[in-house]
């Protein structure tokens, strides 16, 4: 574990519920490790993703975001994506268990996880439009 990798990992540990872009991660790592280059952060993120330390998320808005990986036996949490400000919110409530069982039964398919993304407008953006 190089000092650069340790600094990158510490950014995730200090921001466990944030969904950060590469540039945001780079900016936070640079505060701790001023000599680090953007290419090093990119390579570190790729390594962490390949080793399931972090998850690379694509919300379809042209920007990959990253978060710490969760326990293997737990379903992924779900995300709310604001179309106006781009913020991402997590929610853990899993209401899809019964649907998942029905899909498995009807399709003779073993589901091990699922990902759900809801898009809309956060409370701040809704109130600004009124």
């Amino acid at each position: 574990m190089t000092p650069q990798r340790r600094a990158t990992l510490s950014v995730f540990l200090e921001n466990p519920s944030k969904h950060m872009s590469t540039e945001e991660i780079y900016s936070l790592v640079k505060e701790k490790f001023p000599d680090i280059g953007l290419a090093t952060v990119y390579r570190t993120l790729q390594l962490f993703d390949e080793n399931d330390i972090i998850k690379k998320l694509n919300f379809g808005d042209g920007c990959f975001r990253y978060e710490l990986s969760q326990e293997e036996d737990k379903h992924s949490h779900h995300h709310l994506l604001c179309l106006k400000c781009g913020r991402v919110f997590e929610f853990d409530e899993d209401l899809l268990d019964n649907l998942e069982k029905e899909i498995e039964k009807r399709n003779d398919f073993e589901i091990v996880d699922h990902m759900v993304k809801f898009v809309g407008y956060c409370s701040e953006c809704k109130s600004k439009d009124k």
Side-chain angles (χ1 to χ4, degrees), residues 5 13 17 19 30 33 42 56 60-61 65-66 70 78 89 93-94 104 117 119:
R5 290 176 183 167
L13 295 172
S17 63
H19 302 82
K30 198 155 181 63
F33 207 92
Y42 270 107
K56 184 177 185 179
D61 61 350
R65 293 186 181 85
Y66 300 87
Q70 299 179 6
H78 306 303
F89 305 89
E93 196 169 338
D94 196 347
E104 284 182 325
K117 168 183 70 172
V119 294

Side-chain angles (χ1 to χ4, degrees), residues 36-47:
I36 197 164
L38 183 57
T40 300
V41 172
Y42 270 107
R43 285 191 302 271
T44 300
L45 293 176
Q46 182 178 358
L47 178 71

Side-chain angles (χ1 to χ4, degrees), residues 4-54:
Q4 295 90 335
R5 290 176 183 167
R6 192 179 322 278
T8 304
L9 182 59
S10 73
V11 165
F12 283 99
L13 295 172
E14 292 166 5
N15 299 281
S17 63
K18 288 191 178 175
H19 302 82
M20 298 176 285
S21 69
T22 305
E23 291 75 20
E24 290 169 322
I25 295 164
Y26 172 65
S27 176
L28 292 169
V29 172
K30 198 155 181 63
E31 289 175 12
K32 297 170 184 267
F33 207 92
D35 295 333
I36 197 164
L38 183 57
T40 300
V41 172
Y42 270 107
R43 285 191 302 271
T44 300
L45 293 176
Q46 182 178 358
L47 178 71
F48 286 178
D49 182 41
E50 289 169 357
N51 288 285
D52 295 321
I53 297 168
I54 61 173

